[in-house]
Amino acid sequence: MKIAIHHSIGSFSDRWIEYCKQNNIQYKIVNCYDSNIIEQLKDCDAFMWHHSNYDYRDALFAKQLIYSLQTIGVKVFPDFHTTWHFDDKVGQKYLLESIGAPMVPSHVFYTKNDAESWIKETSFPKVFKLRGGSGSSNVKLVKTKSEAKKLINKAFGSGFNQFDKFNHLKFRYGNFKAGKEGFDAVLKGIARLFIGNKYSNMVPREKGYVYFQDFIPNNKFDIRVVVVNGNAAAERRMVRKGDFRASGSGQFSYDDINIETIRIALEVSNKLKLQSCAYDFVFDENNNPLIVEMSYGFGVDGISNVPGYWNSSLQWHEEKFNPQEWMVENILESL
């Protein structure tokens, strides 16, 4: 029994490989970017790849490769159920609505006329998003109809660069003021205003649709719940100072987790047969948790420090949460 692992430094694969070494699990390092990747996998029973939304190559073919391997019986992580909606907020809207999951009301339009008709009738503020992006990239609070109209014109005109240069600079500056990064990070943010980044320079502009979510006010934090292999851990992510967004703030706490967010996350993961998923929740005026978005991949800095986790029966276990190790165990169980 052998697991093929595509290794990227700083990704889940760091812990996958370490876990395999510690437990004498046979593994093989493969390179998904090689044209002969299928040939590389022929002596393997399973395949694991933490594909990213930051690498344009991953966006081009990761899901197609995973589905192809799953079709011929190779056990994969993430499998197609888990990954097809990754970095696709529009896809997540349809998926969550299809099972009646509690989510922030979301609206997508594929013609300029439909979008303009909707903004005449709806109320503001609303939150504008592109399909892809993490860390609050390309997320804007739209306060008026005129602001929404400008975004609609751009969506059905020149389109949007998938890398928001000004938001990136603002994020870098915020980190500098908070003492989390040096001034060199701000300089890099300024440089990005002129040269962009590798991903945005290689992918087409986003256009031909426009996506809004209702704005849920008065949230000082969101709750991220990570579910892996039927176990769930959670963290509070504090909203950035002077902002409405928590994603990418880098400020975590682990107290007073609303247990309903855990129940919902476990139920959704079970219904959708997800190997791994991180859910971001905010709360409406009646303190009901609503899913903002979801992702099979997630940052480990905050969630790795939780004091414990809940199992599928909502029983608390005060011990280390090992999401990457459980991903390997999930593959071994499937074999």
Side-chain angles (χ1 to χ4, degrees):
M1 184 164 51
K2 185 189 295 184
I3 301 174
I5 298 175
H6 176 91
H7 182 39
S8 298
I9 295 173
S11 75
F12 289 171
S13 63
D14 290 336
R15 294 189 183 186
W16 293 341
I17 293 168
E18 186 62 30
Y19 184 70
C20 287
K21 288 179 179 177
Q22 290 174 357
N23 292 275
N24 296 315
I25 299 166
Q26 193 174 12
Y27 72 95
K28 173 184 179 180
I29 302 298
V30 298
N31 186 355
C32 290
Y33 307 129
D34 288 344
S35 184
N36 71 338
I37 179 59
I38 299 296
E39 182 68 27
Q40 292 180 43
L41 298 171
K42 286 201 171 172
D43 63 340
C44 298
D45 305 287
F47 168 68
M48 303 184 73
W49 180 15
H50 182 192
H51 62 88
S52 168
N53 59 333
Y54 292 115
D55 194 312
Y56 74 91
R57 298 170 296 177
D58 297 17
L60 280 173
F61 77 96
K63 295 173 186 178
Q64 290 85 344
L65 174 61
I66 286 167
Y67 187 66
S68 299
L69 294 169
Q70 190 172 334
T71 299
I72 61 171
V74 177
K75 300 301 181 183
V76 295
F77 180 91
D79 63 17
F80 195 69
H81 285 297
T82 302
T83 195
W84 76 259
H85 45 83
F86 171 59
D87 204 34
D88 184 352
K89 297 175 181 66
V90 174
Q92 293 166 24
K93 162 188 155 60
Y94 295 133
L95 184 60
L96 292 171
E97 287 177 347
S98 72
I99 62 168
M103 64 175 296
V104 176
S106 303
H107 319 272
V108 62
F109 305 97
Y110 300 103
T111 70
K112 186 177 179 180
N113 286 341
D114 287 344
E116 289 178 338
S117 296
W118 175 75
I119 65 169
K120 291 176 183 176
E121 305 297 329
T122 194
S123 59
F124 286 86
K126 288 285 190 286
V127 178
F128 166 85
K129 298 181 176 183
L130 295 182
R131 291 176 64 167
S134 61
S136 295
S137 176
N138 280 311
V139 177
K140 305 178 189 298
L141 185 63
V142 184
K143 298 179 180 179
T144 65
K145 285 181 170 60
S146 61
E147 289 180 24
K149 181 73 180 296
K150 290 179 182 177
L151 290 168
I152 291 168
N153 287 337
K154 190 170 183 179
F156 295 98
S158 61
F160 299 91
N161 191 310
Q162 292 196 38
F163 177 65
D164 188 333
K165 301 174 184 179
F166 290 99
N167 185 64
H168 178 73
L169 176 58
K170 183 180 178 182
F171 177 67
R172 290 290 194 183
Y173 183 67
N175 281 349
F176 167 69
K177 288 186 68 177
K180 290 189 280 186
E181 292 186 297
F183 191 68
D184 60 324
V186 178
L187 295 176
K188 289 178 182 177
I190 294 171
R192 291 294 184 202
L193 294 177
F194 303 97
I195 62 175
N197 68 2
K198 193 170 183 179
Y199 183 90
S200 64
N201 291 338
M202 294 299 292
V203 298
R205 294 174 72 86
E206 290 280 305
K207 59 195 301 187
Y209 74 95
V210 66
Y211 177 80
F212 294 96
Q213 282 188 324
D214 285 3
F215 174 59
I216 311 299
N218 304 318
N219 279 273
K220 296 181 180 179
F221 59 87
D222 71 8
I223 290 181
R224 166 161 285 185
V225 181
V226 173
V227 178
V228 178
N229 226 12
N231 296 314
E235 63 190 1
R236 286 189 178 200
R237 303 185 305 172
M238 311 314 293
V239 168
R240 305 177 192 180
K241 187 176 181 180
D243 205 333
F244 70 99
R245 298 167 292 188
S247 179
S249 73
Q251 301 175 45
F252 310 105
S253 72
Y254 308 102
D255 300 323
D256 299 322
I257 300 298
N258 184 306
I259 194 65
E260 186 67 5
T261 63
I262 308 300
R263 186 194 66 76
I264 292 169
L266 287 167
E267 181 180 328
V268 171
S269 285
N270 185 53
K271 280 185 178 180
L272 298 178
K273 302 177 182 177
L274 306 180
Q275 298 164 308
S276 165
C277 196
Y279 303 89
D280 298 339
F281 289 88
V282 294
F283 296 85
D284 67 15
E285 59 185 5
N286 297 314
N287 205 37
N288 297 311
L290 302 173
I291 299 172
V292 180
E293 55 193 65
M294 56 197 286
S295 171
Y296 95 88
F298 47 88
V300 298
D301 289 345
I303 209 69
S304 293
N305 295 316
V306 296
Y309 63 89
W310 293 264
N311 66 13
S312 58
S313 300
L314 290 178
Q315 296 173 318
W316 173 253
H317 295 258
E318 194 153 334
E319 57 187 88
K320 186 172 175 59
F321 181 64
N322 290 311
Q324 289 79 24
E325 295 179 7
W326 289 341
M327 292 167 189
V328 180
E329 291 174 4
N330 176 275
I331 285 290
L332 294 175
E333 289 167 9
S334 71
L335 289 169

